[in-house]
Amino acid sequence: MASVSKTSTPTEGELTETIGSSKREDRLRKFRELHFKRNEARKLNHQEVVEENNRLKLPSNWEAKKARLEWGLHEDEKKKECAARGEDYHRVKLLDITAGDAERWERKKKKKNPDMGFAGYAEAQFRQYQRLTKQIKPDMQNYEKQREECGEDFHPTSNSLIHGTHVPSEEGIDRMVEDVEKQIEKRAKYSRRRAYNDDADIDYINERNAKFNQKAERYYGKYTAEIKQNLERGTAVCSVVRSNKSVIQFIIIHPICLANLPEAAT
């Protein structure tokens, strides 16, 4: 006879116990995960605090300085690589520049004012040359006409004898005269020389004394304006005092102060 196996079914108490233990394990697992996350967050916060403290101890321009040093090291490495391959570093560098970057840099250069003031006659003459060349508008008809007249001598060589044979046109002379007049007018506006005033009072004996009087008027004119007016009107009172060194000094007394002086003093 074949034996029949009987499967035992779990009771209700065993089911509730199994469910409770699984829930407890889930809660413990979640607590362990939260504990690990808290420890990880604590470590990361501590690292950020230490890094921020180190950053505060550094100079204010450390980031820019660090980026500049890294860029310099990178450029030196590229130069060494180009030198090892026998290539020109500047030409290799230009190959990495896009057309958009080149246009943007050109726009920045145009926005900047190249005129940094007077630094020397050579720099001023060069700036004037650039300004004049920018104003030139090519006349293609006149260009073709001169090319036909000169022939092969239009592009002279060491054997050409065209020097001194060019005669400027009337329009070219008029343009030159107009530009020279503009330069003279511009120099007159920016000149520091002051025009001489014939109606001004002459209170100086030479040019150096005139400069000194102008400086004194600039700094002390507002304080001595009333005294100067009293002297011009003749209402100021001067008393003569002899010092120990036998030098006569004049003391100017304001008319308003006379009311407070005793009768003997006047």
Side-chain angles (χ1 to χ4, degrees):
M1 282 181 70
S3 61
V4 179
S5 61
K6 296 182 181 180
T7 57
S8 60
T9 58
T11 60
E12 185 177 355
E14 293 177 352
L15 289 174
T16 55
E17 185 179 355
T18 304
I19 294 172
S21 62
S22 62
K23 289 182 178 180
R24 185 170 59 254
E25 290 178 358
D26 292 339
R27 286 196 296 269
L28 291 174
R29 181 175 52 80
K30 289 181 180 179
F31 284 146
R32 283 194 298 270
E33 291 178 356
L34 291 174
H35 182 70
F36 292 150
K37 288 181 179 179
R38 185 186 66 176
N39 291 336
E40 186 178 1
R42 185 184 299 169
K43 291 179 182 179
L44 293 175
N45 289 336
H46 181 69
Q47 292 177 2
E48 289 294 333
V49 170
V50 173
E51 291 178 0
E52 184 178 2
N53 187 24
N54 294 332
R55 285 196 301 268
L56 292 175
K57 292 179 181 179
L58 295 174
S60 58
N61 61 343
W62 170 250
E63 295 295 334
K65 188 175 181 180
K66 181 180 178 182
R68 187 166 60 252
L69 292 174
E70 291 178 353
W71 177 82
L73 292 174
H74 187 62
E75 291 293 314
D76 293 339
E77 292 178 358
K78 283 188 175 180
K79 287 181 181 179
K80 291 179 181 179
E81 292 176 359
C82 293
R85 294 195 301 265
E87 298 176 350
D88 188 4
Y89 169 72
H90 297 286
R91 294 179 64 87
V92 174
K93 184 178 179 181
L94 291 175
L95 294 175
D96 298 333
I97 298 175
T98 61
D101 294 338
E103 292 178 358
R104 186 172 64 255
W105 292 341
E106 288 296 328
R107 287 196 297 268
K108 286 184 179 180
K109 288 181 181 179
K110 290 180 180 179
K111 288 182 180 179
K112 293 181 180 179
N113 184 15
D115 190 0
M116 304 301 292
F118 181 80
Y121 290 101
E123 289 81 358
Q125 187 176 8
F126 179 68
R127 288 198 300 270
Q128 184 183 10
Y129 171 77
Q130 287 183 330
R131 179 179 59 83
L132 294 176
T133 52
K134 287 180 181 179
Q135 294 177 359
I136 294 176
K137 296 180 180 180
D139 188 359
M140 300 306 298
Q141 295 180 357
N142 190 17
Y143 174 80
E144 295 294 338
K145 182 179 178 181
Q146 290 183 2
R147 187 174 182 179
E148 293 176 358
E149 292 177 355
C150 299
E152 296 180 355
D153 293 335
F154 186 74
H155 299 287
T157 61
S158 59
N159 299 323
S160 300
L161 299 176
I162 196 174
H163 178 71
T165 59
H166 174 70
V167 179
S169 61
E170 295 293 332
E171 296 178 355
I173 296 174
D174 294 339
R175 286 198 302 270
M176 184 190 69
V177 171
E178 183 179 359
D179 184 74
V180 171
E181 290 178 352
K182 287 182 179 179
Q183 293 181 24
I184 294 172
E185 185 179 358
K186 186 176 181 181
R187 284 197 296 268
K189 289 181 180 179
Y190 288 95
S191 177
R192 294 290 298 171
R193 186 178 295 277
R194 300 295 184 266
Y196 179 74
N197 188 8
D198 294 333
D199 299 332
D201 296 333
I202 300 177
D203 55 354
Y204 55 89
I205 57 176
N206 51 31
E207 189 68 22
R208 185 176 179 182
N209 182 242
K211 296 293 183 183
F212 177 81
N213 292 342
Q214 290 176 2
K215 292 181 180 179
E217 180 67 22
R218 188 184 306 123
Y219 291 105
Y220 305 106
K222 59 182 180 180
Y223 305 110
T224 60
E226 191 173 357
I227 297 175
K228 187 176 181 180
Q229 293 174 3
N230 292 332
L231 288 173
E232 291 176 354
R233 291 194 300 264
T235 56
V237 179
C238 297
S239 61
V240 181
V241 179
R242 185 176 297 275
S243 65
N244 296 331
K245 295 182 181 180
S246 301
V247 177
I248 298 176
Q249 297 178 350
F250 292 91
I251 301 176
I252 300 174
I253 303 176
H254 197 276
I256 298 177
C257 299
L258 296 176
N260 299 326
L261 294 177
E263 186 177 355
T266 58

